[in-house]
Amino acid sequence: MNTTSMSSEFDLIRQYFSRPAANVVLGVGDDCALLQTGAGMQLAVSTDTLVAGVHFFPDADPASLGWKSLAVNLSDLAAMGATPRWATLAITLPYVDDEWLAAYADGVYRCATDYGISLVGGDTTRGPLSMTFTVMGEVPAGQALRRDGAQAGDTVWVSGTLGDAAFALAAIQGHLNLSDADFATLGTRLHAPIPRVALGQALRRLAHSAIDISDGLLADLGHILENSHVGAELDYIRLPVSEIVHDLAAHPAFDRCVLAGGDDYELCFTAPADNEDAIAAVGEKLGLRLTAIGRISAMPGLRLMDAEGLPITLDVAGYDHFAS
């Protein structure tokens, strides 16, 4: 560890978080950034905080943490169908560790480069380790995917697979044993999530509503149902899981990890049944698994159904920071 006492927070910002930015009139270094938005576009804005000991282990690899701390925010833009443009970072550090900061900044900028987003400002302060990103993206006026758009008769879809990150965390916490290869695969889903930005953009004219799965499928789909004043029936047997997680079906934590584990950062969306072929074509084009897992109904509530169409009762719920 290489800890130093730099002359000021502004030195730290200049050294680690100042790089040329696109579509920016004025970036890092002034009281505010000045951003150039496109004609006929709306600005989508999201803020998310990661706190050591709550969202990540204090000894987490800084490069991976840099990627993840930005990627989880980009997932919110993906859920709106927005194109990422700009980000600000407010980071709180217990002390200045040059080696840690260099690796963290590298992770941030790798993610930013991959998704075409520019870091345009933020803040640094001293205290317990945490980082707060605010991300901004553009979406054509009237085309944003929202939580309040689901309609009775819609098909419920989910991208990718569920439960990988939750099982990786369970392994880290000593609740199950995985082979080195399986742990490496699932660990990538936990530490380096892939925001489904291209999928969100492709769904603008195909889906009625969308949300990213950060707190678990049941909790996040529940937000769509609440905001849209509808209900849903999900086919338990159609929930998409990876081969590794499928082989863990007998584990006591299987349902909790798959349905409520969180950290999936996949998209759950609803779309008219007539759009099934078009959505399947999107998945094929992106090389991304898209699975129809149920349907929206006018009857309130979220119901899990077995292979015979009978309701299943499971005692699982999504993550809540303030749940007792």
Side-chain angles (χ1 to χ4, degrees), residues 119-191:
L119 185 63
V120 297
D123 190 28
T124 59
T125 190
R126 184 169 184 170
L129 180 62
S130 69
M131 54 282 301
T132 298
F133 269 101
T134 296
V135 292
M136 291 155 275
E138 291 180 313
V139 61
Q143 292 187 30
L145 299 171
R146 297 166 45 150
R147 300 181 182 184
D148 61 359
Q151 300 178 21
D154 279 0
T155 302
V156 180
W157 295 79
V158 69
S159 67
T161 56
L162 304 172
D164 293 328
F167 267 114
L169 179 60
I172 292 171
Q173 294 173 330
H175 299 312
L176 79 157
N177 295 317
L178 295 171
S179 69
D180 290 344
D182 287 351
F183 179 73
T185 299
L186 298 188
T188 298
R189 292 295 309 277
L190 176 64
H191 298 303

Side-chain angles (χ1 to χ4, degrees), residues 11 24 26 32-33 95 103 117 162 194 204 244 280 290 292 313 319:
D11 293 330
V24 176
L26 182 63
C32 295
Y95 47 80
I117 194 166
L162 304 172
I194 302 299
R204 286 174 186 161
I244 296 172
L290 301 179
T313 300
Y319 181 75

Side-chain angles (χ1 to χ4, degrees), residues 194-260:
I194 302 299
R196 303 303 186 183
V197 172
L199 173 61
Q201 294 169 0
L203 292 175
R204 286 174 186 161
R205 297 185 181 276
L206 296 175
H208 281 153
S209 66
I211 192 169
D212 76 317
I213 304 174
S214 56
D215 296 327
L217 174 65
L218 296 186
D220 290 315
L221 176 57
H223 296 314
I224 288 181
L225 304 185
E226 180 180 3
N227 282 271
S228 300
H229 307 291
V230 293
E233 294 179 350
L234 301 185
D235 299 320
Y236 181 82
I237 197 170
R238 301 185 72 178
L239 297 175
V241 296
S242 64
E243 187 174 330
I244 296 172
V245 170
H246 179 271
D247 290 343
L248 294 168
H251 193 279
F254 180 84
D255 290 328
R256 179 181 58 79
C257 287
V258 171
L259 289 164

Side-chain angles (χ1 to χ4, degrees), residues 241-307:
V241 296
S242 64
E243 187 174 330
I244 296 172
V245 170
H246 179 271
D247 290 343
L248 294 168
H251 193 279
F254 180 84
D255 290 328
R256 179 181 58 79
C257 287
V258 171
L259 289 164
D263 270 334
D264 293 310
Y265 296 104
E266 297 293 348
L267 294 190
C268 176
F269 57 97
T270 77
D274 290 346
N275 289 348
E276 181 174 349
D277 289 344
I279 290 171
V282 167
E284 185 175 350
K285 179 179 179 181
L286 297 178
L288 178 60
R289 181 175 177 179
L290 301 179
T291 306
I293 62 170
R295 64 216 62 85
I296 296 295
S297 68
M299 182 187 301
L302 177 55
R303 294 166 291 281
L304 282 172
M305 316 302 288
D306 66 16

